[in-house]
């Protein structure tokens, strides 16, 4: 593999094209698992590999996209048998060719959404990926390519599984929608931040769209990536012609567009759905002499969540300090009572007040800090898109938090003590965090700026020995209280300026420490904050709910030329003229649904039922709240995890209503109608379907979920038996869309009065029409709109 790494930036590297499309051309029918062909049709698989090798590829990719224990369950063959056969087929084709072609073990998504949004745990996904990767390495794979991922959390599980259990290099590609977004809301910058933090060898984008749209992604890849970039598009978008799925870009057009992509900064090229050996051969011939752009180390200090990045250093960054028990009686009580709704409410309040990152500290002697930290991270990331700062003095808590955090976290903290650096730096390197470095060591905190600089220099040097770049070190010059030492603030400010100038690193301070023991602390805090910003402070840990602190922040940015046309300054003043908006109100039921507070929603519904009937609560509160969440989701101001959390909160409210009806012997709430949903025969992906189910049920529809890999006869018979007026069909893979078409045709042939809506990554509105569907649903909220339309027509 080292010879391939040596080529990075020197010449383009070429992967093969589609395996699934080629198998379909060779007779793979809907309902068959492509991976089983490694055993039952090994000669065909080997021949396809050989065609790609003859086309000139540097890498061929094994026929193992779905080869994991979860997807292969019930197929008749073990994961070991299928992966071993896949590697054997690939090796045979390489040996036959006498060419220096390498073998990439292909890892695709499991097809389930991970907790907390779904039902698959991080550890279950990790175990499935690690089992497959270990087998692949033993059977001779040269590297692992993790592809077509749409969820950063699943990608993280896969990367850790490969890196912790094998010595295989890791290439990783995400699949974005036409807006450049992942299923869970992240964009290209989020993807790069996560992947580089985890130390992949190459990263990029595959599937979803054709090369024309992928050109647009390259701008951000070139801006943020310090790692070789992979681009493997589809041959355009799928269409149905004479009952056959075809793609609209031929080999010549594909090669022409890949040439532009190569010139625009890609280092590794290949093809996904619909691309053939001809597509790849013509691409290689046209692009072979193009010298790729040099791979440059980007000097960005970045942290991320699953949906947002925060760049440190472009303008001052605020870390909200309120999720911390120190000096907070109510917060301590919430931790003792496992009241995570209160914790999340503190986070939401700080988001509203202008924080960019949220500190998370749950250290209390009487609680299990590790379990509470993990629960806190999970709940916060289900409701809030901001990156988090993991704040703990316990290295074991830190490791667990970093492992299960969805993104690249800010870590608080490391110091100059040798033992502390030995514990923390391996975690920073492995999980890809950016770490706050405290300027103290075995001898305590130096009294001079020069002393603190020396510690900072030692920390940066030691971090480098662990392979951690100084851009991922944020130095804390330590704020000392002026009530104990008159020179404390002066020394801290001089230290910030000296460290920043000498080392060229970013700096951070816990601002409010300066005023311990003094009255009217916000007065002196805000002045010290302004002075620190003038000394070059990059990051401040403060209470964003403090009007004086935020006034200082926005004023500084305006005066320093960091606030174009003083927009943020003016908006801040406008909000101050509406004091009620700055106050945190006790959440009512409507707010609890929107914010996803399940426990609160249940309790509040119980209270509401004492004075209101169930229908008034449903139609007057629950449905309007879900509508507001849906609009925010469609406007991309709220993402999938928050949508699902709100849906679960609504479910808890409905549970309270059902319990009340049963107890009072009231009439059962009537369903708005029956809807059957299913993932079609041959397809084992049910992420989108499951989300649609939850949302439809919350809107009062009776949903009959037949699951995944469902035969068309069973689907149609269920529609008849349930007298369903709407059928929802899901498919993620191009190989299973024919099953969808057959199901729809069977509905029409039997003259069944039922509308059909379809959805899935491979579908488009145009493609949906060609297979006879009545509606195309791009997401769960569009499914709700379709259901409303269908059942309102029924009542006309």
């Amino acid at each position: 593999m080292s010879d391939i790494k040596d080529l990075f930036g020197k010449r383009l590297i070429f992967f093969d094209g589609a395996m699934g499309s080629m198998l379909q051309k060779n007779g793979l029918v809907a309902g068959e698992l492509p991976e089983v062909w490694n055993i039952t049709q090994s000669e065909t698989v080997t021949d396809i590999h050989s065609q790609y090798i003859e086309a000139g590829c540097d890498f061929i990719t094994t026929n193992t996209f779905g080869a994991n224990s979860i997807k292969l369950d019930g197929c008749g063959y073990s994961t070991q048998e299928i992966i071993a056969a896949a590697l054997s087929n690939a090796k045979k084709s390489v040996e036959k060719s006498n060419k220096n072609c390498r073998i990439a073990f292909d890892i695709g998504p499991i097809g389930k959404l991970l907790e907390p949004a779904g039902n698959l745990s991080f550890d279950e996904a990790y175990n499935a990926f690690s089992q497959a990767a270990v087998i692949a390495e033993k059977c001779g794979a040269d590297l692992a390519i993790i592809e077509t991922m749409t969820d950063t959390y699943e990608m993280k599980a896969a990367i850790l599984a490969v890196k912790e259990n094998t010595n295989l290099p890791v290439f990783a590609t995400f699949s974005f929608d036409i807006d450049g977004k992942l299923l869970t809301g992240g964009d290209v910058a989020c993807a790069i931040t996560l992947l580089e933090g985890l130390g992949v060898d190459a990263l990029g984008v595959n599937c979803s769209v054709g090369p024309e749209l992928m050109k647009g992604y390259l701008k951000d890849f070139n801006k943020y990536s310090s790692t070789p970039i992979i681009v493997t598009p589809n041959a355009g978008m799928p269409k149905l012609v004479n009952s056959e799925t075809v793609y609209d870009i031929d080999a010549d057009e594909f090669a022409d567009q890949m040439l532009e992509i190569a010139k625009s900064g890609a280092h590794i090229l290949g093809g996904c759905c619909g691309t053939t050996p001809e597509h790849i051969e013509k691409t290689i011939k046209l692009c072979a002499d193009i010298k790729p752009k040099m791979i440059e180390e980007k000097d960005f200090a970045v942290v991320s969540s699953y949906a947002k990045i925060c760049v440190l250093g472009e303008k001052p960054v605020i870390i909200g300090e309120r999720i911390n028990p120190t000096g907070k009686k109510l917060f301590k009580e919430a931790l003792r009572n496992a009241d995570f709704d209160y914790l999340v409410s503190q986070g939401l309040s700080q988001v509203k007040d202008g924080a960019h990152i949220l500190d998370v500290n749950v250290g209390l002697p009487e609680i299990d800090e590790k379990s509470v930290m993990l629960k806190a991270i999970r709940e916060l990331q289900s409701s809030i898109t901001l990156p988090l700062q993991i704040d703990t003095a316990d290295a074991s808590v830190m490791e667990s938090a970093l492992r299960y955090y969805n993104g690249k976290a800010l870590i608080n903290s490391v110091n100059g003590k040798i033992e502390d650096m030995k514990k923390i730096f391996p975690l920073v390197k492995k999980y890809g965090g950016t770490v706050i470095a405290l300027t103290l060591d075995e001898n305590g905190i130096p009294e001079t700026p020069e002393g603190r600089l020396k510690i900072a220099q030692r920390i940066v040097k030691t971090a480098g020995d662990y392979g951690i770049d100084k851009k991922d070190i944020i130095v804390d010059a330590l704020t000392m209280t002026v009530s104990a030492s008159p020179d404390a603030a002066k020394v801290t400010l001089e230290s910030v300026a000296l460290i920043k100038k000498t080392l060229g690193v970013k700096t951070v301070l816990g601002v409010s420490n300066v005023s311990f023991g003094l009255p009217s602390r916000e007065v002196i805090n805000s002045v010290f904050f302004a002075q620190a910003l003038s000394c070059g402070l990059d990051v401040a840990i403060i209470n964003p709910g403090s009007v004086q602190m935020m006034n200082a922040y926005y004023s500084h940015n305006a005066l320093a030329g960091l606030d174009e046309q003083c927009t943020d300054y003016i908006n801040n003043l406008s909000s101050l003229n509406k004091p009620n908006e700055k106050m945190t109100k006790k959440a009512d039921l409507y707010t609890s649904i929107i914010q996803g507070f399940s426990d609160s929603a249940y309790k509040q519904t119980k209270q509401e039922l004492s004075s209101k009937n169930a229908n008034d609560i449903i139609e007057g509160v629950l449905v309007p709240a879900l509508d507001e969440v849906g609009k925010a989701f469609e406007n991309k101001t709220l993402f999938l995890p928050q949508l699902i959390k709100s849906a679960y909160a609504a479910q808890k409210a409905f549970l309270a209503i059902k319990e009340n009806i049963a107890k009072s012997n009231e009439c059962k709430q009537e369903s708005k109608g029956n809807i059957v949903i299913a993932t079609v025969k041959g397809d084992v992906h049910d992420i989108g379907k499951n989300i649609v189910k939850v949302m439809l049920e919350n809107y009062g529809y009776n949903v009959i979920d037949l699951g995944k890999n469902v035969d068309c006869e069973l689907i149609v018979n269920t529609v008849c038996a349930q007298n369903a007026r709407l059928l929802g069909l899901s498919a993620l893979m191009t190989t299973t869309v024919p099953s969808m078409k057959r199901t729809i045709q069977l509905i029409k042939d039997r003259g069944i009065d039922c509308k059909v809506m379809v959805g899935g990554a491979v579908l488009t509105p145009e493609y949906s029409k060609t297979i006879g569907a009545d509606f195309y649903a791009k997401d769960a909220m569009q499914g709700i709109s379709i259901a409303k339309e269908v059942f309102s027509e029924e009542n006309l």
Side-chain angles (χ1 to χ4, degrees):
M1 182 58 198
S2 60
D3 57 330
I4 293 294
K5 286 186 178 181
D6 290 341
L7 292 176
F8 286 159
K10 296 178 181 176
R11 76 162 176 84
L12 292 173
I13 296 171
F14 298 97
F15 267 72
D16 54 7
M19 173 60 73
S21 303
M22 293 292 289
L23 290 176
Q24 281 182 301
K25 289 183 178 181
N26 282 274
L28 179 75
V29 298
E32 285 188 280
L33 289 178
E35 295 79 16
V36 171
W37 273 43
N38 290 310
I39 295 173
T40 62
Q41 303 286 342
S42 62
E43 290 184 3
T44 300
V45 175
T46 300
D47 179 62
I48 292 170
H49 285 317
S50 295
Q51 291 181 55
Y52 281 120
I53 293 172
E54 290 304 312
C57 296
D58 295 300
F59 281 93
I60 54 171
T61 310
T62 57
N63 179 31
T64 54
F65 182 80
N68 61 72
S69 59
I70 297 173
K71 270 190 173 180
L72 295 177
D73 184 35
C75 77
Y77 297 96
S78 69
T79 308
Q80 169 74 42
E81 289 173 314
I82 285 181
I83 294 176
L87 266 297
S88 176
N89 294 334
K91 286 195 286 188
K92 285 177 185 176
S93 64
V94 172
E95 291 166 0
K96 181 181 176 182
S97 72
N98 290 318
K99 293 186 177 181
N100 186 28
C101 184
R102 299 301 185 95
I103 299 171
F105 174 61
D106 191 24
I107 299 175
I110 290 172
K112 293 177 177 287
L113 203 58
L114 270 63
E115 294 177 344
N119 297 318
L120 183 68
S121 75
F122 183 91
D123 289 336
E124 287 173 326
Y126 171 89
N127 291 337
F129 289 131
S130 61
Q131 179 196 25
V134 168
I135 296 169
E137 184 179 43
K138 289 180 179 177
C139 292
D142 295 302
L143 66 81
I145 180 163
I146 306 166
E147 58 153 318
T148 323
M149 290 289 181
T150 59
D151 178 4
T152 53
Y153 208 34
E154 185 175 14
M155 175 66 88
K156 182 173 183 176
I159 292 170
L160 289 176
V162 177
K163 292 177 75 71
E164 290 180 348
N165 296 281
T166 77
N167 292 311
L168 296 174
V170 178
F171 288 10
T173 58
F174 280 105
S175 182
F176 299 90
D177 65 18
I178 59 174
D179 297 317
K181 295 288 188 179
L182 298 172
L183 175 68
T184 47
D187 57 14
V188 169
C190 280
I192 293 168
T193 302
L194 176 82
L195 295 176
E196 291 196 334
L198 293 171
V200 301
D201 298 287
L203 55 82
V205 56
N206 81 292
C207 201
S208 289
V209 297
E212 185 65 39
L213 281 174
M214 281 198 182
K215 294 175 193 174
Y217 303 151
L218 271 176
K219 180 179 180 181
D220 280 341
F221 273 104
N222 285 323
K223 177 179 179 180
Y224 291 107
S225 178
S226 304
T227 305
I229 300 167
I230 311 169
V231 180
T232 52
N234 291 343
M237 300 304 292
K239 295 180 179 179
L240 200 67
V241 179
N242 298 324
S243 298
E244 182 182 352
T245 301
V246 298
Y247 289 80
D248 59 8
I249 295 180
D250 63 22
D252 289 313
E253 184 182 352
F254 185 85
D256 288 340
Q257 294 195 27
M258 293 302 282
L259 177 62
E260 292 183 43
I261 287 172
K263 290 179 179 178
S264 297
H267 303 93
I268 302 168
L269 302 179
C272 206
C273 300
T275 56
T276 65
E278 184 183 10
H279 285 80
I280 301 304
E281 182 177 17
K282 290 192 173 182
T283 296
I284 293 172
K285 286 181 178 179
L286 196 60
C287 301
D289 294 332
I290 299 297
K291 186 172 182 180
K293 289 185 177 180
M294 292 299 296
I295 300 163
E296 299 177 353
E297 184 70 28
K298 307 301 191 304
D299 190 26
F300 286 106
V302 187
V303 293
S304 69
S305 67
Y306 65 88
K308 286 188 177 181
I309 67 165
C310 181
V311 180
L312 309 175
E314 290 185 341
K315 69 177 183 179
V317 165
I318 293 171
I319 300 175
E321 67 182 9
R322 300 300 297 170
I323 304 176
N324 188 316
T326 304
K328 302 178 185 72
K329 182 179 179 181
L330 290 177
F331 193 90
K332 289 178 181 179
E333 197 63 27
L335 289 178
R336 295 186 185 104
N337 295 331
D339 183 359
F340 291 95
D341 284 357
Y342 178 84
L343 184 147
V344 172
S345 72
Q346 293 296 301
L348 290 168
S349 176
Q350 291 179 100
V351 172
K352 183 179 178 181
D353 289 333
H356 306 111
I357 299 170
L358 299 182
D359 180 68
V360 185
N361 185 315
V362 295
L364 276 183
E366 63 267 38
I367 66 172
D368 180 353
E369 185 184 359
K370 183 179 293 186
S371 65
V372 174
M373 175 66 85
L374 294 180
K375 177 74 171 174
I377 290 172
R378 171 175 167 159
E379 292 299 317
L380 285 164
Q381 290 210 295
S382 296
S383 301
I384 293 168
T385 58
L386 294 187
L388 303 181
Q389 173 174 271
I390 311 301
D391 187 356
T392 177
D394 188 322
S396 67
V397 174
M398 180 68 72
E399 176 159 22
S400 291
L402 291 175
R403 184 173 190 83
Y404 294 103
Y405 176 73
N406 191 357
K408 179 185 176 186
L410 187 58
I411 300 169
N412 192 5
S413 58
V414 72
N415 59 55
K417 297 177 182 177
I418 294 173
E419 286 303 313
D420 197 66
M421 290 190 284
K422 284 181 178 179
K423 288 189 295 184
I424 301 301
F425 281 146
L427 303 181
V428 177
K429 178 62 179 175
K430 179 177 181 179
Y431 295 107
T434 294
V435 64
I436 289 179
L438 309 181
T439 52
L440 64 86
D441 60 13
E442 292 84 354
N443 297 315
I445 302 171
E447 296 181 358
T448 66
E450 292 75 19
R452 296 182 195 183
L453 171 63
K454 286 181 180 178
I455 293 176
Q457 290 172 323
R458 187 164 67 249
I459 292 173
V460 169
K461 181 181 182 304
T462 306
D465 295 339
Y466 284 87
I468 301 166
D469 194 277
K470 73 175 184 179
K471 69 183 180 182
D472 281 321
I473 306 292
I474 315 296
V475 176
D476 188 340
L478 297 175
T479 304
M480 308 303 290
T481 179
V482 291
S483 63
S485 172
D487 291 332
K490 180 173 179 289
V491 171
T492 296
L493 295 172
E494 290 177 355
S495 297
V496 168
L498 180 63
I499 290 167
K500 191 173 179 67
K501 178 181 178 181
T502 307
L503 280 178
V505 295
K506 306 299 184 293
T507 56
V508 60
L509 289 175
V511 175
S512 61
N513 292 345
V514 76
S515 63
F516 282 143
L518 295 175
S520 303
R521 293 182 62 189
E522 284 193 7
V523 175
I524 195 167
N525 286 348
S526 61
V527 175
F528 177 68
F529 183 28
Q531 290 177 324
L533 290 170
S534 296
C535 290
L537 184 69
D538 299 290
V539 183
I541 303 173
I542 67 169
N543 173 16
S546 166
V547 172
Q548 287 176 278
M549 296 294 278
M550 297 308 289
N551 283 347
Y553 174 77
Y554 290 115
S555 297
H556 168 83
N557 287 347
L559 294 169
L562 300 173
D563 182 5
E564 190 173 348
Q565 296 181 330
C566 301
T567 302
D568 292 337
Y569 174 80
I570 293 168
N571 289 340
N572 177 59
L573 289 179
S574 298
S575 70
L576 294 179
N577 293 326
K578 301 174 183 178
N580 288 337
E581 293 186 8
K582 298 292 286 185
M583 296 172 63
T584 302
K585 296 181 180 179
K586 184 178 180 180
D588 56 13
L589 177 57
Y590 187 89
T591 305
S592 291
I593 299 298
I594 291 174
Q595 297 183 341
F597 293 163
S598 294
D599 291 343
S600 296
Y602 178 83
K603 294 174 184 176
Q604 289 161 345
T605 303
K606 288 282 192 183
Q607 293 171 356
E608 292 281 320
L609 286 166
S610 64
S611 59
K612 298 179 181 177
N613 65 51
N615 191 63
D616 287 343
I617 295 172
I618 293 170
E619 298 300 329
V621 181
L622 301 185
V623 171
L626 287 169
D627 284 342
E628 182 173 334
V629 171
K631 289 176 184 176
F633 179 73
E634 290 175 341
N635 293 331
K636 300 187 185 300
T637 59
L638 175 149
F639 301 106
L640 184 62
Q642 295 134 297
L643 176 71
I644 292 174
K645 193 174 184 187
S646 290
Y648 287 156
Q651 282 187 328
K652 289 296 289 284
F654 278 110
L655 175 61
I657 290 171
K658 289 176 182 177
E659 290 174 349
N660 187 73
I661 290 173
K663 184 178 179 181
S664 62
N665 295 317
E666 290 182 19
C667 294
K668 184 178 180 182
Q669 189 73 25
E670 287 190 14
S671 166
K672 292 181 179 178
N674 290 349
I675 301 174
V676 173
I677 61 173
T679 300
V680 298
K681 182 69 175 177
D683 207 311
V684 295
H685 301 83
D686 59 2
I687 292 174
K689 174 182 67 63
N690 291 345
I691 297 168
V692 170
K693 176 187 177 182
V694 171
M695 296 304 297
L696 286 171
E697 287 178 336
N698 279 340
Y699 275 83
Y701 299 100
N702 179 41
V703 181
I704 300 95
D705 182 5
L706 297 179
K708 56 193 178 184
N709 190 25
V710 186
D711 186 80
C712 60
E713 286 282 350
L714 175 57
I715 295 173
V716 174
N717 290 340
T718 305
V719 168
C720 292
Q722 297 292 332
N723 192 27
R725 293 293 173 263
L726 180 62
L727 168 65
L729 297 176
S730 171
L732 182 71
M733 303 159 60
T734 55
T735 55
T736 59
V737 174
S739 286
M740 186 178 277
K741 183 177 185 294
R742 278 198 295 274
T743 305
I744 296 170
Q745 190 61 49
L746 193 57
I747 290 280
K748 295 182 182 299
D749 289 346
R750 293 188 183 179
I752 300 170
D753 183 18
C754 178
K755 299 293 186 181
V756 182
M757 66 176 176
V758 298
V762 296
L763 295 172
T764 63
E766 295 76 21
Y767 194 19
S768 300
K769 291 178 182 177
T770 65
I771 62 175
D774 298 294
F775 302 99
Y776 164 74
K778 67 177 182 178
D779 54 41
M781 293 315 301
Q782 198 159 42
I784 300 300
S785 299
I786 291 167
K788 288 179 178 178
E789 179 180 341
V790 169
F791 287 94
S792 65
E793 288 177 355
E794 184 179 282
N795 293 325
L796 292 177

